[in-house]
Amino acid sequence: MSTNNNIAQARKLVEQLRIEAGIERIKVSKAAADLMSYCEQHARSDPLLVGVPTSENPFKDKKPCIIL
Amino acid sequence: MACQGLQKGETLASLKTESDGLKKKLEVERGKLNDVELHQVAEKTEVLGALSIKTRRVLKGHGAKVLCMDWCKDKRRLVSSSQDGKVIVWDAFTLNKMLTSSGDGTCALWDVESGQLLQSFHGHTADVLSLDLAPSETGNTFVSGGCDRKANVWDMRSGQNIQSFESHESDINCVKYYPSGDAFASASDDATCRFYDLRADREVAVYQKDSIVFGASTVDFSLSGRLLFAGYNDYTINAWDVLKGNRVSILFGHENRVSRVKLSPDGTAICSASWDNTLRIWA
């Protein structure tokens, strides 16, 4: 009976939402501070951020020096 | 009329009322903790300098749209797949298991050797277009995004949908975890990319500009998580400052939609795949 399906679905949704509503959360200020600190900690080892010397970067063309 | 399955006092209408109430409650609870915006906290952090990223290689060889690619663990090679049927790419993670998402709205976890279905994940109401596994240190979860505009976080062992985010206004084409595993980003046909923090249980940033009107199809983070590279249907790749929320760089070069961007395993380069039949390496 389709009404039973609707009820089952509706009940499932309520149960799912109860779970989601009940989880523990932290403030955005704390979460943001943690995200920032992760970025700062790893910034130095992020080649796309700080750049890598041409000699060490396998993707950058190495131009030979020309003495004029 | 007798309705089987209803408990005392319950009706379809009362269940609907309760679920509407719970949805509102979720909004309110999330709203209570939104004491500050991410970009405001980020004002303390240094502004990023200009990026010097440009095309270093153009790989020509496919005969049709390039749809997907990935880097090999040896950090030098990459595999790509195209509509010309040439290469197959497997989405695999450790221990011989494979996680898939489908147009039927579900995700599934398979044991590759036995072909057995280990766990299935139900909760999306339309095609699931993308999924990403949490970085290994943070446990057994993954995030999925789909045409129902929702991004869901799942527990792989129980099959339980742990968290759900519905702020995009159109299909979510791609989801990707932030390197620490505490957040993830999404790319959508609504021309925005968004950033969600899992512990705050809410969206904390939207990466958008009035001038960006085409859908975003793909995202990936730089190693430190400070940069978010996003590929768009207007053929460009935008590099966003994840913390401050502004665009840092636009990478031009492709002559058709960008279908996928991926960071190399050691973080020195980004590869982009496109409907112009080429792949580009940016470093």
Side-chain angles (χ1 to χ4, degrees):
Chain A
M1 190 158 106
S2 70
T3 342
N4 276 344
N5 272 342
N6 289 344
I7 293 161
Q9 268 182 359
R11 188 177 294 129
K12 251 192 173 170
L13 182 58
V14 166
E15 276 173 27
Q16 176 63 32
L17 286 169
R18 276 189 194 145
I19 293 173
E20 288 180 30
I23 67 166
E24 286 207 11
R25 295 176 190 86
I26 66 175
K27 287 194 180 181
V28 172
S29 47
K30 167 89 174 84
D34 288 349
L35 291 172
M36 256 174 65
S37 105
Y38 186 92
C39 281
E40 267 154 40
Q41 269 173 47
H42 292 84
R44 251 156 288 131
S45 44
D46 186 341
L48 288 173
L49 207 54
V50 300
V52 160
T54 313
S55 50
E56 287 173 28
N57 188 332
F59 295 106
K60 289 195 176 160
D61 296 320
K62 301 180 204 337
K63 295 199 169 74
C65 291
I66 304 171
I67 301 174
L68 296 168
Chain B
M1 179 167 85
C3 282
Q4 275 183 339
L6 279 177
Q7 282 161 22
K8 200 155 198 250
E10 262 184 10
T11 59
L12 202 54
S14 78
L15 283 171
K16 174 124 191 10
T17 311
E18 191 175 355
S19 74
D20 284 344
L22 282 169
K23 281 183 187 166
K24 282 227 172 63
K25 180 167 186 224
L26 257 174
E27 261 185 65
V28 168
E29 288 299 314
R30 284 169 168 172
K32 279 183 192 166
L33 296 165
N34 193 24
D35 52 344
V36 72
E37 304 271 334
L38 174 59
H39 69 86
Q40 286 172 311
V41 175
E43 267 159 34
K44 298 183 213 141
T45 214
E46 271 182 49
V47 176
L48 289 177
L51 300 179
S52 64
I53 298 179
K54 47 188 215 225
T55 301
R56 305 287 173 176
R57 299 279 187 284
V58 180
L59 310 179
K60 298 187 190 187
H62 275 296
K65 296 176 191 171
V66 183
L67 300 176
C68 186
M69 58 73 56
D70 204 351
W71 293 87
C72 284
K73 293 274 186 289
D74 63 6
K75 304 177 202 176
R76 287 195 48 177
R77 289 171 299 178
L78 36 91
V79 290
S80 62
S81 71
S82 158
Q83 275 190 350
D84 63 6
K86 274 187 186 161
V87 182
I88 299 173
V89 176
W90 289 85
D91 244 351
F93 80 108
T94 57
L95 310 173
N96 288 332
K97 297 198 185 70
M98 186 169 73
L99 195 55
T100 61
S101 66
S102 166
D104 68 4
T106 68
C107 303
L109 181 65
W110 308 85
D111 180 283
V112 173
E113 276 176 38
S114 66
Q116 222 195 354
L117 175 66
L118 296 170
Q119 183 65 264
S120 69
F121 307 89
H122 300 258
H124 280 288
T125 51
D127 303 18
V128 182
L129 298 179
S130 174
L131 44 82
D132 192 35
L133 292 161
S136 48
E137 309 85 57
T138 51
N140 291 304
T141 60
F142 73 93
V143 60
S144 63
C147 294
D148 58 0
R149 307 182 221 153
K150 291 208 302 207
N152 290 335
V153 180
W154 307 85
D155 179 307
M156 264 193 299
R157 282 182 283 222
S158 65
Q160 176 71 43
N161 177 2
I162 312 169
Q163 288 167 274
S164 184
F165 303 90
E166 198 168 354
S167 57
H168 271 294
E169 293 164 22
S170 187
D171 299 1
I172 295 178
N173 296 310
C174 184
V175 288
K176 190 82 180 69
Y177 267 94
Y178 180 77
S180 73
D182 288 332
F184 71 92
S186 57
S188 165
D189 278 347
D190 68 7
T192 71
C193 295
R194 292 174 198 244
F195 191 41
Y196 302 86
D197 187 290
L198 294 172
R199 294 179 309 153
D201 186 37
R202 58 170 299 122
E203 172 193 288
V204 291
V206 183
Y207 308 108
Q208 65 186 343
K209 273 181 106 65
D210 289 342
S211 53
I212 301 174
V213 296
F214 283 83
S217 56
T218 174
V219 279
D220 203 2
F221 287 98
S222 70
L223 261 193
S224 66
R226 182 70 193 268
L227 294 171
L228 182 71
F229 292 91
Y232 294 76
N233 294 341
D234 65 1
Y235 317 169
T236 65
I237 298 165
N238 289 319
W240 298 89
D241 180 330
V242 169
L243 301 177
K244 290 185 184 280
N246 58 299
R247 179 173 59 186
V248 179
S249 193
I250 316 177
L251 308 180
F252 292 105
H254 277 299
E255 293 163 18
N256 207 319
R257 292 191 190 188
V258 178
S259 50
R260 185 65 95 228
V261 291
K262 265 275 169 61
L263 185 73
S264 68
D266 63 359
T268 50
I270 285 269
C271 182
S272 58
S274 166
W275 286 20
D276 67 7
N277 304 359
T278 72
L279 299 129
R280 278 174 186 257
I281 299 181
W282 312 79

